[in-house]
Amino acid sequence: MAAASQDAYCTLLMSDSYLPGAAVLAHSLRDAGTQKKLAVLYTPETLSADTVEKLKSLYDFLIPVEHIRNPKPANLYLMQRPDLVFAFTKIALWRQVQFRKIVYLDADMVALRALDELFDIDTDFAAAPDIGWPDAFNSGLMVLTPNMGEYWALQTMAASGDSFDGADQGLLNQYYQHKNWHRLSFTYNCTPNAQYQWEPAYRYYKPNISAVHFIGKDKPWSSVRTSSDAGVYNELVARWWAVYDKHLRGGEQSNSIFGTPSSAAPSRSEGQHMQPSQLYTPSPNTIKDSGSPPATAEAPFTEPGEPSENIDHGVVEPVSTVQQRRFSAPQMEWDATRSAPPPQSRPEAANFTTQTYEFNESRELFNAPRSYPEPPKDMWYKVPETKPTPSAMPKPIFPWEQIPDRPKPTRVFAEDTSPLPTPDAEPQLYKDGPLPSHPFPTVHYEEEKSISSTVAQPATSARGTSTASSIADAFQQNSVNAWDEVPGIENYVRAILGSHTRRGKPQVIYSNSGDAEETLAAAGSRSDRRESLIITDFPSAVERPSLPVTPAPRPAFLNKEKTEAIQLPEAEGVPAQPFWNPNEKLEQLRRTSLLEFEHLKSPNHPVPPLRALPQHSVPSPKESGKEQAPAAVDGTSETTDSTKTTTASAKPVFTEPNFDNGATTRKTEEIFSPTQEDVD
Ligand SMILES: O=c1ccn([C@@H]2O[C@H](COP(=O)(O)OP(=O)(O)O[C@H]3O[C@H](CO)[C@@H](O)[C@H](O)[C@H]3O)[C@@H](O)[C@H]2O)c(=O)[nH]1
Ligand SMILES: [Mn+2]
């Protein structure tokens, strides 16, 4: 037995058919002058006694191992290698703890020089990239440190058939994927391919090649030997045959093992455990059409009594309680998102494991195992020692996150804000300040493109210190809601508010004649406004002077560039909207007799006593269209004159709602000062 500190090259032999390969490998290593021992793992159940005898002459250590069958062989069909159903056996390498380090080589490899320096690599696992998928390693050459903990982890994966290719290479790559395996140069495991080779690279790196690996179904000894050594593949195959020719062709040994040198398949010899024809890989067509698992239809091995993998020298070792197995999704044989399953495909459940447990009927006493597997060493989370760099921060989502020196985001509360109101702070303003004095939401006329005047109240707020105009400015910029002009929302609000919320005609008590022009202009401009349904709009001083409300700032009409306010001209011949009530207008006209106008013409004339009002017929509201001039009534010449006077002046009349005749007359006197021309 090897000493615990010993190193060894190892290979694996599970069938007689690979014996030529194992023999050439051993000879090539010795020819290269290696100082290391040679070991072979072999499966006694599947090898002939003859083969085992030959191995003894080739290797320093013969290590019998149980073969491990993949319980889910379906993925092997993805690479058309059902013959590799026992490839998991290779993981037995990790339990060879009698060795310090192992450099494993497949039996289909040939060494062109000794690889002894690989034993000095300071890592637990190293391998070279696979030519088919260079991110993965090829498991034909591996440098490993045997370790029982790792073995049990791998064994757990093997027992569940967890391998993307159904064989050891898929399993091992899954296991080492996140463990940073040490990547060796391709020159340690150079895999020529008959179909494709990058010839210039081969020429360039050729002097560095340490070992050649004949992957795939066709091996040098199982293929027809060609006389040509032209091309990369043939050149390297010739290297294998050179070793074979040197040590194994002719003579007693070669005749007994491999047959005649001219044989295309040297392993076809008499007296072997199995017929060579059974050992050859079936053709892809045969595999496809067989429709049954390889182990039963095409298996290269006869099925022995499936001894338990846990039996090691008669002692049952417990399975590790911590399963290091990593999840990997089952491999699809076709893309279900693109096509229906192929007609010849096997049922999905072919991959399921079936396990039957039986009571142990053994009468022997429990024998404690000699040793327990080492606990796994990588089961903790390592807290990063350094803070994540900015590049590790989450990607920005919002545009402002990319502003270089943007202020740090904070939370803002209403109490902390400046007196300038913001739309968000609106509820807070109501809380702090006095509520509007009217009970219902107010609907009033607002300019077509106006900003919603949610600031009607802030000026009355206890904390309000800004001027009304600055508030207006602030809101002109901020308080437009995207939904303010959505017709559907307007209709909805209109429906739920109903007509009771609509304010009546604005009432204006007007006493200061100096402001008359201004007030009238403001009223006139309202004809261009549309109805606003914004319930936070409050009446202005002009509209509701009786309320203790500070006049709300009204954003003026803006010019096209929206840079400055403009005063819209009054519409010609159209009375301001508040005076569209023809009944009221007519009533007023009735009360203002022609005589009184005559009296007004002479300022010195004393106010005559009131006369009985003349009876005029008053048109019903239906008859008097909205567009119609309010005083368009037929009848006497007096009325006609007064109508003329009123319309010509184009100035609306303000009245108090409950007036008496005298008061109205005086009020009218102040407002109407018809010119001589008008009266004429
Ligand atoms: O009937 C067999 C089959 C395999 N082996 C041994 O198992 C190894 C792997 O089989 P091989 O035919 O060499 O596989 P490759 O064609 O090299 O296929 C690739 O895929 C295999 C399955 O993942 C890996 O084991 C190989 O390392 C990898 O190169 C062989 O070298 C032998 O050592 C036998 O002894 N008898
Ligand atoms: Mn191989």
Side-chain angles (χ1 to χ4, degrees):
M1 202 46 166
S5 61
Q6 209 162 18
D7 295 336
Y9 287 103
C10 259
T11 191
L12 169 68
L13 191 66
M14 300 186 288
S15 64
D16 296 330
S17 62
Y18 276 69
L19 179 57
V24 165
L25 174 65
H27 282 298
S28 67
L29 284 166
R30 293 200 195 284
D31 286 355
T34 180
Q35 302 299 309
K36 305 291 180 181
K37 297 286 185 186
L38 304 186
V40 56
L41 306 185
Y42 73 103
T43 50
E45 301 96 335
T46 58
L47 295 176
S48 69
D50 201 28
T51 298
V52 176
E53 276 306 306
K54 295 297 174 200
L55 284 177
K56 283 179 184 167
S57 65
L58 294 164
Y59 286 85
D60 299 312
F61 305 114
L62 270 70
I63 302 165
V65 293
E66 305 289 348
H67 67 264
I68 305 174
R69 172 198 284 273
N70 182 354
K72 296 179 185 173
N75 288 345
L76 288 168
Y77 287 83
L78 296 175
M79 58 175 181
Q80 299 176 358
R81 291 296 300 271
D83 56 308
L84 293 175
V85 70
F86 292 106
F88 287 170
T89 306
K90 210 186 267 186
I91 68 170
L93 288 166
W94 275 262
R95 71 190 305 176
Q96 306 310 317
V97 290
Q98 68 274 27
F99 297 120
R100 183 192 71 95
K101 209 88 161 175
I102 289 175
V103 172
Y104 169 82
L105 296 114
D106 260 6
D108 55 350
M109 293 186 73
V110 60
L112 305 191
R113 50 175 287 273
L115 319 167
D116 291 5
E117 69 272 16
L118 293 180
F119 289 96
D120 300 329
I121 292 179
D122 186 21
T123 178
D124 284 342
F125 184 80
D130 185 84
I131 196 169
W133 197 265
D135 287 341
F137 58 82
N138 180 282
S139 59
L141 178 130
M142 299 181 286
V143 183
L144 63 109
T145 306
N147 177 307
M148 287 307 291
E150 304 251 65
Y151 169 74
W152 286 115
L154 294 169
Q155 200 273 342
T156 304
M157 287 179 74
S160 61
D162 196 1
S163 163
F164 66 74
D165 71 354
D168 60 282
Q169 186 161 308
L171 180 148
L172 290 168
N173 270 282
Q174 282 172 232
Y175 181 73
Y176 282 106
Q177 189 173 3
H178 306 290
K179 286 178 175 267
N180 288 335
W181 53 276
H182 182 95
R183 183 179 172 131
L184 295 175
S185 162
F186 186 65
T187 55
Y188 283 111
N189 186 0
C190 178
T191 51
N193 184 297
Q195 274 73 47
Y196 169 76
Q197 196 73 38
W198 190 15
E199 184 125 2
Y202 168 68
R203 301 282 161 223
Y204 184 75
Y205 293 108
K206 188 171 145 183
N208 303 331
I209 296 176
S210 300
V212 182
H213 182 184
F214 300 96
I215 59 170
K217 287 192 294 284
D218 300 324
K219 306 300 183 192
W221 62 90
S222 67
S223 312
V224 176
R225 184 174 179 178
T226 61
S227 53
S228 161
D229 60 359
V232 181
Y233 184 76
N234 288 337
E235 214 172 274
L236 291 173
V237 169
R239 301 296 296 267
W240 187 92
W241 280 112
V243 178
Y244 173 84
D245 288 345
K246 180 178 174 188
H247 295 281
L248 306 166
R249 175 191 269 194
E252 198 182 320
Q253 188 184 22
S254 64
N255 284 337
S256 63
I257 299 179
F258 305 119
T260 61
S262 59
S263 167
S267 61
R268 289 178 192 171
S269 59
E270 295 290 324
Q272 288 194 351
H273 179 65
M274 300 180 77
Q275 289 302 310
S277 58
Q278 285 179 273
L279 305 174
Y280 292 133
T281 308
S283 75
N285 287 341
T286 320
I287 297 163
K288 267 187 195 157
D289 297 340
S290 70
S292 45
T296 51
E298 311 287 350
F301 305 109
T302 49
E303 190 62 56
E306 278 292 319
S308 164
E309 178 57 25
N310 291 338
I311 297 170
D312 181 27
H313 307 294
V315 175
V316 178
E317 289 192 23
V319 176
S320 170
T321 49
V322 180
Q323 299 205 341
Q324 290 192 6
R325 174 182 166 220
R326 287 188 166 79
F327 172 77
S328 77
Q331 308 298 308
M332 282 196 302
E333 290 186 41
W334 91 100
D335 186 350
T337 62
R338 289 167 189 271
S339 59
Q344 302 297 326
S345 63
R346 289 166 307 109
E348 286 174 38
N351 226 3
F352 289 179
T353 29
T354 51
Q355 183 126 29
T356 312
Y357 295 96
E358 285 172 7
F359 283 111
N360 188 348
E361 292 178 358
S362 165
R363 292 174 178 272
E364 286 176 18
L365 288 175
F366 172 70
N367 230 348
R370 272 198 304 264
S371 64
Y372 285 93
E374 286 178 30
K377 291 174 181 162
D378 59 345
M379 297 299 286
W380 65 87
Y381 171 73
K382 193 163 178 251
V383 180
E385 283 162 11
T386 53
K387 268 189 161 183
T389 55
S391 62
M393 300 296 279
K395 274 187 178 174
I397 298 170
F398 303 105
W400 59 82
E401 291 183 276
Q402 293 167 16
I403 299 171
D405 297 320
R406 68 181 193 279
K408 207 175 169 218
T410 53
R411 294 183 68 182
V412 178
F413 297 93
E415 300 85 68
D416 310 330
T417 53
S418 75
L420 259 187
T422 63
D424 290 342
E426 187 185 322
Q428 195 64 37
L429 289 166
Y430 283 121
K431 219 188 278 175
D432 289 352
L435 283 168
S437 54
H438 53 286
F440 293 109
T442 306
V443 176
H444 76 114
Y445 302 103
E446 187 50 278
E447 280 127 308
E448 196 64 50
K449 283 280 173 191
S450 80
I451 314 300
S452 66
S453 300
T454 51
V455 284
Q457 287 303 70
T460 66
S461 160
R463 56 174 68 240
T465 55
S466 300
T467 64
S469 69
S470 67
I471 293 169
D473 288 349
F475 272 80
Q476 200 143 339
Q477 291 162 10
N478 296 327
S479 63
V480 179
N481 294 315
W483 55 85
D484 281 350
E485 292 183 7
V486 174
I489 295 176
E490 273 196 14
N491 292 341
Y492 177 75
V493 174
R494 206 186 302 276
I496 57 167
L497 287 180
S499 58
H500 71 280
T501 58
R502 188 176 293 262
R503 228 160 55 87
K505 190 170 73 68
Q507 306 161 23
V508 178
I509 298 171
Y510 192 55
S511 55
N512 184 353
S513 62
D515 288 337
E517 286 294 316
E518 213 176 279
T519 309
L520 290 173
S525 72
R526 267 182 239 124
S527 61
D528 289 339
R529 296 175 175 181
R530 72 173 172 84
E531 188 184 27
S532 167
L533 292 168
I534 301 164
I535 59 172
T536 47
D537 255 347
F538 298 106
S540 66
V542 172
E543 293 160 346
R544 293 291 293 268
S546 55
L547 291 173
V549 173
T550 306
R554 287 272 168 237
F557 283 97
L558 300 174
N559 61 3
K560 269 187 184 173
E561 294 77 34
K562 297 191 175 178
T563 49
E564 57 185 77
I566 51 168
Q567 191 64 52
L568 294 182
E570 259 181 57
E572 270 179 42
V574 180
Q577 201 174 12
F579 311 106
W580 283 356
N581 186 338
N583 286 340
E584 193 182 328
K585 198 71 184 171
L586 288 169
E587 180 67 18
Q588 183 193 340
L589 286 169
R590 283 176 59 196
R591 290 168 184 267
T592 313
S593 69
L594 182 64
L595 271 180
E596 287 186 89
F597 276 108
E598 287 296 330
H599 165 73
L600 287 172
K601 282 167 76 178
S602 127
N604 299 328
H605 199 281
V607 178
L610 284 174
R611 298 179 309 169
L613 289 170
Q615 292 298 312
H616 293 298
S617 65
V618 177
S620 72
K622 271 189 181 176
E623 285 171 87
S624 62
K626 267 191 175 181
E627 311 299 327
Q628 218 171 355
V633 283
D634 55 357
T636 65
S637 60
E638 293 170 4
T639 314
T640 308
D641 281 348
S642 70
T643 303
K644 185 184 170 193
T645 304
T646 311
T647 51
S649 73
K651 286 184 178 177
V653 177
F654 290 90
T655 58
E656 278 184 35
N658 301 311
F659 49 79
D660 63 72
N661 287 345
T664 306
T665 306
R666 284 190 194 92
K667 201 62 77 183
T668 313
E669 281 173 21
E670 289 173 25
I671 296 169
F672 282 97
S673 25
T675 60
Q676 186 62 47
E677 194 185 310
D678 285 336
V679 177
D680 290 340

